[in-house]
Amino acid sequence: MNSQQIAALEVQDLTVAYHEKPVLWDIDITVPQGLLTAIVGPNGAGKTTLLKAILGLIKPAAGQVQIFGQSYSRNRRMVGYVPQRSSVDWDFPTNALDVVLMGRYGSLGWFKRPGKKDHELAMTCLEKVGMADFANRQISRLSGGQQQRVFLARALIQDANIYFMDEPFVGVDATTEKAIVNLLKTLRDEGKTVLVVHHDLQTLKDYFDWAILLNVRLIGIGPVQDIITTDNLRVAYGGRGAEIGNALET
């Protein structure tokens, strides 16, 4: 990272607790701009909690978060967010195009209706994820992979500088997974910063530049090959760590 370049994300002394039990403990993270970074760790490690704390969706017990050197509230428009698909009410009566247009409200404000240019931009984003032909399809009638692509298009229309995505590969077919990976790498190549909660350690080296390895505490952050080691995996996953590490090496 250029010494003059502001970090895309800086997290200092972050602690989050539920009912006085720490879910994240004293986390320090600095992510340079223009990297594709996976957030990995076992179930209950605090991966989704980390995203929600960064985005102000839950209040930490302690700590500070800066996006490009400012608080999230000041740089909100620089941020795109794709939550877990399972957290969304897919029975809500709306179509794919309208879901994507929701990503424009941060720029338009809630009381200004999207215009022709907004609709054209939404269609362009749907084309990028291979969903232009489904623009008028009710979201409840889309497959899991198609719904995830629509959500990605909604994030794209925000034209953010940094994207946070919570398990975008869960429940999608191989074709959609490949399309998502290509899209994430395109965003990275355009200078965007992307952080993804991810669970498949086998694909880390192919998909990501950096990894953040968590299990309540931060175990490691940096280039994938430096962080995903047998020793680190043993700390993160306990007795299974060596087994996982050996599987990754074969």
Side-chain angles (χ1 to χ4, degrees), residues 9-221:
L9 172 69
E10 191 163 5
V11 176
Q12 295 179 320
D13 305 323
L14 183 72
T15 295
V16 178
Y18 293 145
H19 307 297
E20 299 185 1
K21 178 185 177 183
V23 182
L24 289 173
W25 182 259
D26 200 21
I27 302 292
D28 290 304
I29 290 171
T30 300
V31 178
Q33 296 181 32
L35 288 176
L36 185 47
T37 299
I39 302 170
V40 293
N43 291 337
K47 302 183 294 293
T48 294
T49 299
L50 176 61
L51 284 199
K52 289 183 175 181
I54 289 169
L55 297 169
L57 299 174
I58 56 176
K59 188 173 181 179
Q64 292 184 322
V65 175
Q66 290 193 322
I67 307 282
F68 295 102
Q70 300 279 350
S71 67
Y72 170 69
S73 59
R74 288 193 172 207
N75 275 344
R76 186 186 302 265
R77 289 188 180 181
M78 301 179 78
V79 177
Y81 174 46
V82 179
Q84 289 184 12
R85 195 169 56 83
S86 61
S87 69
V88 178
D89 178 9
W90 292 106
D91 291 326
F92 188 76
T94 189
N95 63 30
L97 180 63
D98 286 338
V99 170
V100 178
L101 283 169
M102 289 175 189
R104 289 291 294 157
Y105 286 117
S107 300
L108 293 171
W110 286 104
F111 301 105
K112 185 177 179 183
R113 294 182 63 82
K116 182 180 178 183
K117 286 187 176 180
D118 299 303
H119 280 79
E120 290 173 351
L121 186 56
M123 286 302 300
T124 298
C125 291
L126 283 170
E127 285 172 10
K128 286 182 178 179
V129 298
M131 287 296 293
D133 291 343
F134 297 87
N136 296 315
R137 181 78 58 89
Q138 289 286 309
I139 55 170
S140 61
R141 295 178 54 217
L142 298 175
S143 70
Q146 290 170 335
Q147 290 171 347
Q148 191 65 283
R149 290 182 188 223
V150 170
F151 247 43
L152 287 166
R154 189 185 73 163
L156 285 179
I157 202 172
Q158 293 175 266
D159 192 26
N161 295 82
I162 183 168
Y163 289 91
F164 297 92
M165 303 187 183
D166 198 351
E167 300 206 16
F169 301 111
V170 168
V172 304
D173 56 66
T175 301
T176 295
E177 179 159 333
K178 184 176 180 181
I180 293 173
V181 171
N182 289 338
L183 181 63
L184 299 186
K185 289 182 176 180
T186 298
L187 289 171
R188 186 267 319 273
D189 293 344
E190 291 172 352
K192 312 290 189 180
T193 305
V194 186
L195 287 92
V196 178
V197 172
H198 191 57
H199 70 279
D200 182 6
L201 298 178
Q202 294 280 357
T203 57
L204 278 181
K205 289 182 180 179
D206 291 334
Y207 290 4
F208 296 96
D209 307 315
W210 267 34
I212 297 170
L213 182 60
L214 291 176
N215 191 353
V216 182
R217 295 176 181 271
L218 177 68
I219 295 164
I221 176 172

